[in-house]
Amino acid sequence: PPPQHRVPLPLEHPGDQGVDREGSAGGGPERVAASSSSRLFSAVTDGTASTDETSAPSASSSSSSSSPSSSSSDIRSPPGSSNAWEVHKFGGASLATSDLYKTVGDLLISEAEGRGSGPIPTMAVVSARGGMTDLLVKVVDTALVDCDEAENALNSAMDGQIELLRELAPPEITDPIEERFRKDASDILGVVQSLRMLRTVPAVTMEVVTGYGEIWSAQTLNAYLQTRGVPCDWIDAREVLIVKSEGGSAGLGEKGSSASTGGVVPLWDVTAEKLGRWWNGEGKDRGFHDLDYTSAERCPIVVATGFVASTIDGVPTTLKRSGSDYSATIFAKLTGASRVTMWKNTDGVYTADPRRVPEAFPIASLKYDEAMELAYFGAQVLHPSAMEPCVDDSIPVYVRNIFNPAFEGTVIQGRSKTLKDVTESGGSVRNWKSKRGEIPIKGITSVDKTALVTLEGASIGGANVAERFMGAMADAGINVLIITQASSESSICVAVPENEGERALAALESAFELELARSTINSLSLVKDKAIVAIVGEGMALNSGVSATFMSSLARANVNICSIAQGSSERQVAVVVNGDQVSRALRAVHMAFTLSETAASVAVLGSTGSIGSALMSQLTTQKERLAKDLKVEMRITAAASSSQMIIGDGAKGLDAATVNDSLSDGANADALDLDKITETLENDVNPLRVVVDCTNSDDTAEYYEKWLEMGTHIISPNRKVAAGPLDRYRRVMSAQKLNSANWQYESSVGSALPLVTTLRDLEETGDDVKLIRGCLSGTMAYVFSTFSDEVPFSAAVRSAIEKGYTENDLLEDLMGLDSARKAVILARKLGMMIELEDVEIESLIPAEMSSKERTGTRDEINESLLKDMEECVDGPMLEKFQAALAEKKRLRYKFVVDVESKSCSVSLQAVPNTDALYRLKKDENLVAFETERYATSALIVKGAAAGPDLAASGVFADLLRLTRAYSALS
């Protein structure tokens, strides 16, 4: 085993100069200089550390007690190797269990064996095991109030790492490592116990303690590699990686921050020298200079700690949260690596965060500049600073999935054209949509937890205002994410991390104290709970319409834009939105740029009814065609019967093929709760949300206004709103106009026939509709085409019931209410604000029959009605039939909407053969539009419309119209 290294903690007595401390088994002694220990004690307790690059390196900063020999070699060119180094970085999620450590170790061995050109010198940069950094942060924070609890937390963290270690290697390897772990824990405890006296946590203390997660992780992986018999060693990066930290970079940085490494800069010359000493000292002692690089069994693997580093004075520090990516690219530059591979738990860099945009997919390639923009604006798969060390040396960076190593992932290499290059290229500007198949952006990303700081005032003009504003931000160490300025300095707005918002506001109040006192500045404001959404891609240059697509997609999703900024490079456009609208914004933009198919979140109410069931069947059978040909996905998020409901869990939604079975047998179903369905719709981040109301329920109709106000679209074969109380109809129409939502009710009139669409087209093209007439009842069309001398009226009605043509309530058909409601819908579309009571309706059954109280199941009620019809209706109806036949006419149940007289009627009429209804077939609806243009011959819309399948197809058509309109407008 190689010599092991440990940066001393302040518990080591300042007088221990020259004391030899034993290394690991088989290793030589390590000399610890007292000066380093005393400096560290001072730094940890008072929070100070020198960052002067010109300071002389401390005696303990050397990684080895031996000096370079005369036969030293350059680490960038291992003796006898035909291949350059390759660097692999593994995050905490890849190192959460012993099995994952084994996976990482085996993967490293496989990668080191090469790809056909001989073995490859390999370096692995590792993070702490999953969750370890947070555990160590908890140790420090807890120590402020309870040292015993802090000790328990520390022991728990250490014991977890030791348990992993013991699962990976035998005692002869693990015992000395375990001893070091326990000594480290003792040192950590000594440091944190002093915090109760200080009553604060110096930034360097937090960095020292949390860095041990990586120290322990590197030794754990190295232990497993030793069991595999490969030449290996581990490097404590605190002994070779020297950095300086500039203003505002103290502490770990915000977890998940997009700019947490800001201000941490490697001291390249000093670091290269120290790494060279390690290579020519311990590396040579380990035999790395003498390996047979032509043998795949002798591939060297060096495990380096990510995240941690030291200052020029030897004081431990870090590269801040998520800084292991940065460590990897730093070591890649130092070793002259041919490539860096960032091993993640995703298949590369995605077009958007797949946790928020399920349709996101891996990007095959990115330029360095694009990757840095994505990282800066919150793409968590890469660290913002990670690209910088690779850019100058053109080292490609691969992002691959440790759980899917066969997948190529994303490669990041090459520079984007500068704005000067683009403008001087002489290319012409074209709308990006005209370039079929070319998407101008690579990805969409976001920065959460931001705040807007705004300075406003019409009297603050002056060339130095912006300078003073930004100077105040810089002096306070505020990380400005984006800046916008308008009206010649009368308004300046910046987005900053939310946890820095109060400091930013205080800095500006101090800088403009005099102007505020004189009221020459109207206001300084801080608005929290915001987020940045950005599109990134070098294809934006010379492509018009990109920003328009971006902004319109947000508008369609009802996302409010608070601020807009575009980079001068034309590689990104960023907006600030409300924090609770980020996911919806991301999905809307992703769909708008056709980075994913248009996905509609659909809640189907009345899914077990005749129309609802037919719709679910059509959605199932057409699913593949919709995805392949139309790039559309109908995602069922909720389904409900008259008494029960099932709400989907997750982005995939419910299976349209089986959900009705679950509703019928009650499996996984809850009692119907329209408030719960409404809450689900409101929380759905998909910008395209649709309710399909296949019920005949007044309760459901009461929710239309709220759904539209939420931006949820409605498709409604239910006529309870379109033909319901006029006050409710007006409120719903107003809600539709005031919000970015559509109410489609075409299917409520003529099933699959485009009657409402035709009427709208006539009006919008300036035609004057005089009268509408025809038959809108599939039941009545069938009954009066079947009824004859041989087939009694009641028998024809019975046949219509058996074919599924009738309404759920048979009286709706027989009393003419169904036809009357449809006539009301058309009349209201023409501006006739009438109620159902205003329609003259001729019932086909006597009043005493329609008012008779009937109980039982639907079939029992229908049977009772049919029996009464046999006795009371069949005879009189036969007389009317024979009278019409004698005049060579046919009976038809006809509606008339007369615009000039403002009247509507529904009645049984004997029509001559000159009337289009004379030739009406059993399953047809027919509507004739008499207009100023169609004065001599009416415009007739006719077609099959009877039955649930045709009605469902009309609903389906409305749904497709809605998704196509959304895609086109976005």
Side-chain angles (χ1 to χ4, degrees):
Q4 307 296 338
H5 311 290
R6 180 174 58 83
V7 172
L9 279 169
L11 288 184
E12 296 170 317
H13 196 276
D16 286 346
Q17 295 191 24
V19 176
D20 287 339
R21 301 192 183 277
E22 293 299 319
S24 64
E30 178 182 314
R31 182 172 295 276
V32 179
S35 58
S36 173
S37 181
S38 60
R39 276 197 308 275
L40 181 56
F41 181 81
S42 173
V44 171
T45 53
D46 66 20
T48 61
S50 170
T51 60
D52 184 3
E53 185 174 354
T54 62
S55 300
S58 67
S60 65
S61 65
S62 173
S63 62
S64 174
S65 58
S66 60
S67 60
S69 66
S70 59
S71 60
S72 63
S73 70
D74 185 355
I75 191 172
R76 299 167 66 93
S77 303
S81 175
S82 59
N83 292 316
W85 287 83
E86 290 186 4
V87 177
H88 301 263
K89 181 265 175 180
F90 299 93
S94 304
L95 300 165
T97 66
S98 59
D99 285 341
L100 287 175
Y101 271 95
K102 291 178 181 178
T103 298
V104 168
D106 294 341
L107 180 61
L108 284 170
I109 293 171
S110 174
E111 291 289 321
E113 290 173 351
R115 291 176 287 275
S117 59
I120 299 171
T122 299
M123 177 177 285
V125 176
V126 296
S127 299
R129 73 177 175 93
M132 175 62 79
T133 301
D134 289 338
L135 290 174
L136 294 175
V137 169
K138 179 183 177 183
V139 170
V140 177
D141 291 339
T142 304
L144 286 172
V145 293
D146 189 334
C147 284
D148 290 337
E149 186 177 345
E151 183 176 3
N152 291 335
L154 176 60
N155 289 335
S156 176
M158 178 193 63
D159 290 343
Q161 191 73 45
I162 289 175
E163 183 179 349
L164 288 181
L165 179 68
R166 290 174 176 174
E167 293 174 6
L168 293 169
E172 57 268 24
I173 294 177
T174 62
D175 285 349
I177 301 175
E178 183 178 335
E179 182 181 349
R180 287 195 298 277
F181 285 3
R182 297 191 185 281
K183 182 62 172 68
D184 291 340
S186 176
D187 290 348
I188 293 170
L189 186 61
V191 171
V192 300
Q193 283 175 338
S194 66
L195 298 179
R196 290 200 67 182
M197 293 186 294
L198 297 174
R199 297 186 178 182
T200 186
V201 180
V204 69
T205 302
M206 185 67 80
E207 294 189 88
V208 166
V209 173
T210 54
Y212 274 92
E214 276 69 19
I215 304 300
W216 295 345
S217 182
Q219 294 178 74
T220 301
L221 178 58
N222 190 62
Y224 174 70
L225 291 172
Q226 290 181 60
T227 67
R228 295 296 308 274
V230 297
C232 58
D233 198 1
W234 76 282
I235 299 178
D236 183 346
R238 296 178 300 183
E239 298 186 14
V240 296
L241 177 52
I242 310 302
V243 300
K244 64 176 180 179
S245 299
E246 297 172 343
S249 64
L252 293 181
E254 185 74 7
K255 186 174 183 179
S257 169
S258 63
S260 59
T261 66
V264 179
V265 180
L267 302 183
W268 293 106
D269 291 342
V270 177
T271 300
E273 179 186 353
K274 288 180 175 292
L275 185 60
R277 289 187 181 183
W278 177 88
W279 175 250
N280 288 298
E282 294 173 15
K284 183 175 181 180
D285 293 343
R286 291 294 298 153
F288 290 167
H289 289 207
D290 304 319
L291 291 176
D292 179 6
Y293 284 90
T294 62
S295 170
E297 296 179 358
R298 302 297 298 169
C299 44
I301 300 175
V302 176
V303 182
T305 55
F307 179 58
V308 296
S310 291
T311 69
I312 194 70
D313 292 323
V315 177
T317 185
T318 67
L319 303 183
K320 316 309 171 192
R321 283 276 197 177
S322 305
S324 293
D325 286 357
Y326 197 17
S327 299
T329 53
I330 288 171
F331 279 113
K333 182 178 177 67
L334 290 167
T335 58
S338 62
R339 64 193 290 175
V340 181
T341 302
M342 306 289 187
W343 292 96
K344 309 286 183 177
N345 57 358
T346 61
D347 282 336
V349 181
Y350 275 66
T351 51
D353 187 342
R355 294 168 297 183
R356 284 176 154 166
V357 183
E359 304 84 7
F361 56 88
I363 305 169
S365 64
L366 288 167
K367 299 294 179 62
Y368 292 126
D369 308 86
E370 292 173 322
M372 286 189 283
E373 294 274 13
L374 284 170
Y376 180 76
F377 281 108
Q380 294 296 313
V381 75
L382 283 175
H383 196 273
S385 302
M387 296 301 102
E388 295 177 8
C390 292
V391 172
D392 291 340
D393 292 353
S394 299
I395 303 172
V397 178
Y398 290 79
V399 182
R400 297 171 63 190
N401 191 346
I402 189 172
F403 304 112
N404 185 20
F407 189 76
E408 294 181 357
T410 302
V411 60
I412 305 168
Q413 60 184 344
R415 299 301 303 268
S416 298
K417 290 183 178 180
T418 65
L419 185 59
K420 180 181 179 182
D421 293 336
V422 172
T423 54
E424 291 181 353
S425 66
S428 59
V429 176
R430 291 176 58 193
N431 190 285
W432 75 270
K433 292 183 179 181
S434 68
K435 302 176 180 180
R436 298 294 182 184
E438 294 184 24
I439 308 299
I441 69 171
K442 288 291 183 70
I444 307 115
T445 186
S446 63
V447 182
D448 294 319
K449 296 181 180 179
T450 63
L452 282 179
V453 182
T454 305
L455 180 149
E456 294 180 275
S459 303
I460 66 169
N464 66 338
V465 173
E467 179 183 355
R468 291 169 59 196
F469 186 105
M470 297 308 295
M473 297 291 97
D475 292 342
I478 304 299
N479 177 28
V480 176
L481 302 174
I482 63 173
I483 177 172
T484 60
Q485 182 176 342
S487 303
S488 185
E489 300 193 4
S490 69
S491 173
I492 301 176
C493 175
V494 296
V496 302
E498 192 171 70
N499 65 330
E500 298 180 9
E502 297 290 350
R503 285 198 295 118
L505 185 64
L508 291 174
E509 288 173 344
S510 176
F512 292 94
E513 182 178 6
L514 183 60
E515 287 83 354
L516 288 168
R518 294 175 176 175
S519 298
T520 56
I521 288 179
N522 290 345
S523 68
L524 280 171
S525 62
L526 171 67
V527 183
K528 296 183 178 181
D529 298 320
K530 300 297 179 183
I532 298 172
V533 175
I535 56 174
V536 175
E538 68 170 347
M540 284 191 260
L542 295 181
N543 278 311
S544 64
V546 176
S547 292
T549 301
F550 186 19
M551 304 305 165
S552 64
S553 68
L554 296 176
R556 293 288 298 170
N558 205 25
V559 174
N560 183 49
I561 299 173
C562 306
S563 182
I564 304 171
Q566 177 171 348
S568 59
S569 64
E570 289 195 48
R571 279 193 295 271
Q572 58 86 5
V573 180
V575 299
V576 178
V577 302
N578 294 332
D580 59 357
Q581 294 185 312
V582 176
S583 295
R584 184 172 300 167
L586 290 170
R587 294 188 69 175
V589 177
H590 202 268
M591 283 193 285
F593 284 98
T594 64
L595 292 173
S596 60
E597 61 190 10
T598 299
S601 293
V602 183
V604 182
L605 309 182
S607 66
T608 58
S610 57
I611 297 177
S613 295
L615 175 64
M616 299 297 264
S617 176
Q618 290 174 18
L619 289 173
T620 300
T621 56
Q622 296 297 315
K623 181 178 180 179
E624 291 186 8
R625 188 187 69 83
L626 290 175
K628 181 180 178 181
D629 297 338
L630 303 180
K631 305 300 182 185
V632 167
E633 179 187 4
M634 303 299 179
R635 189 174 299 147
I636 308 299
T637 56
S641 65
S642 59
S643 60
Q644 292 186 302
M645 68 177 186
I646 297 178
I647 295 176
D649 183 17
K652 291 186 177 180
L654 301 169
D655 184 357
T658 61
V659 67
N660 277 352
D661 292 336
S662 299
L663 283 170
S664 298
D665 61 24
N668 303 316
D670 298 313
L672 177 61
D673 184 344
L674 290 174
D675 287 331
K676 182 67 175 177
I677 291 176
T678 301
E679 180 184 350
T680 300
L681 290 167
E682 193 166 20
N683 293 334
D684 191 341
V685 298
N686 190 345
L688 181 54
R689 296 161 293 156
V690 186
V691 172
V692 177
D693 180 15
C694 297
T695 72
N696 191 33
S697 166
D698 258 318
D699 292 337
T700 303
E702 287 296 330
Y703 282 81
Y704 277 35
E705 185 179 2
K706 181 174 180 61
W707 290 337
L708 291 168
E709 288 173 347
M710 289 162 38
T712 299
H713 308 280
I714 301 172
I715 294 173
S716 177
N718 182 350
R719 290 178 282 276
K720 292 294 186 180
V721 175
L726 192 55
D727 177 64
R728 181 169 65 192
Y729 173 80
R730 283 174 168 154
R731 284 188 282 110
V732 171
M733 291 297 292
S734 176
Q736 179 187 12
K737 291 177 181 178
L738 292 174
N739 297 277
S740 298
N742 286 310
W743 172 30
Q744 300 277 2
Y745 52 91
E746 180 78 80
S747 56
S748 67
V749 183
S751 290
L753 297 182
L755 300 177
V756 175
T757 302
T758 300
L759 184 55
R760 184 181 64 240
D761 291 344
L762 289 171
E763 287 193 300
E764 290 180 353
T765 57
D767 203 352
D768 186 12
V769 179
K770 305 292 186 180
L771 185 138
I772 309 175
R773 55 184 169 80
C775 176
L776 285 170
S777 171
T779 302
M780 293 298 100
Y782 179 83
V783 167
F784 285 103
S785 295
T786 305
F787 170 43
S788 65
D789 289 325
E790 291 79 21
V791 181
F793 182 77
S794 61
V797 173
R798 183 185 297 277
S799 179
I801 295 172
E802 292 171 351
K803 289 183 175 295
Y805 291 167
T806 60
E807 295 294 306
N808 290 333
D809 183 354
L810 184 57
L811 288 174
E812 294 273 316
D813 287 313
L814 298 176
M815 295 174 63
L817 294 175
D818 174 61
S819 295
R821 286 194 177 94
K822 295 173 180 177
V824 168
I825 293 172
L826 293 177
R828 287 178 175 178
K829 189 67 179 172
L830 287 170
M832 297 169 58
M833 292 296 104
I834 63 172
E835 298 276 12
L836 181 63
E837 294 77 14
D838 297 326
V839 181
E840 296 180 19
I841 305 173
E842 179 183 351
S843 175
L844 298 177
I845 58 176
E848 60 270 19
M849 185 183 297
S850 60
S851 61
K852 181 179 179 179
E853 185 176 348
R854 304 174 196 274
T855 60
T857 65
R858 184 194 303 173
D859 290 342
E860 290 170 344
I861 292 173
N862 287 345
E863 194 60 39
S864 173
L865 269 170
L866 290 169
K867 184 176 180 181
D868 287 350
M869 289 170 63
E870 290 174 6
E871 298 175 359
C872 304
V873 178
D874 280 358
M877 195 61 71
L878 180 60
E879 292 177 3
K880 292 181 181 181
F881 172 79
Q882 291 174 338
L885 189 63
E887 297 178 2
K888 297 182 179 181
K889 296 180 179 180
R890 291 178 179 174
L891 292 180
R892 295 290 183 258
Y893 200 64
K894 184 176 181 179
F895 83 92
V896 177
V897 177
D898 191 331
V899 180
E900 293 184 348
S901 66
K902 304 293 183 184
S903 64
C904 291
S905 63
V906 177
S907 60
L908 181 63
Q909 297 183 20
V911 299
N913 61 5
T914 56
D915 193 314
L917 287 177
Y918 185 89
R919 285 168 288 280
L920 187 69
K921 295 180 181 179
K922 291 182 178 181
D923 61 348
E924 287 184 335
N925 279 0
L926 182 149
V927 175
F929 296 90
E930 295 182 11
T931 74
E932 185 174 346
R933 291 174 186 160
Y934 293 92
T936 57
S937 178
L939 171 64
I940 294 176
V941 178
K942 183 177 84 167
D949 287 335
L950 285 170
S953 69
V955 174
F956 200 171
D958 278 345
L959 192 54
L960 286 176
R961 257 192 300 271
L962 193 60
T963 55
R964 283 198 299 268
Y966 182 87
S967 299
L969 287 171
S970 292

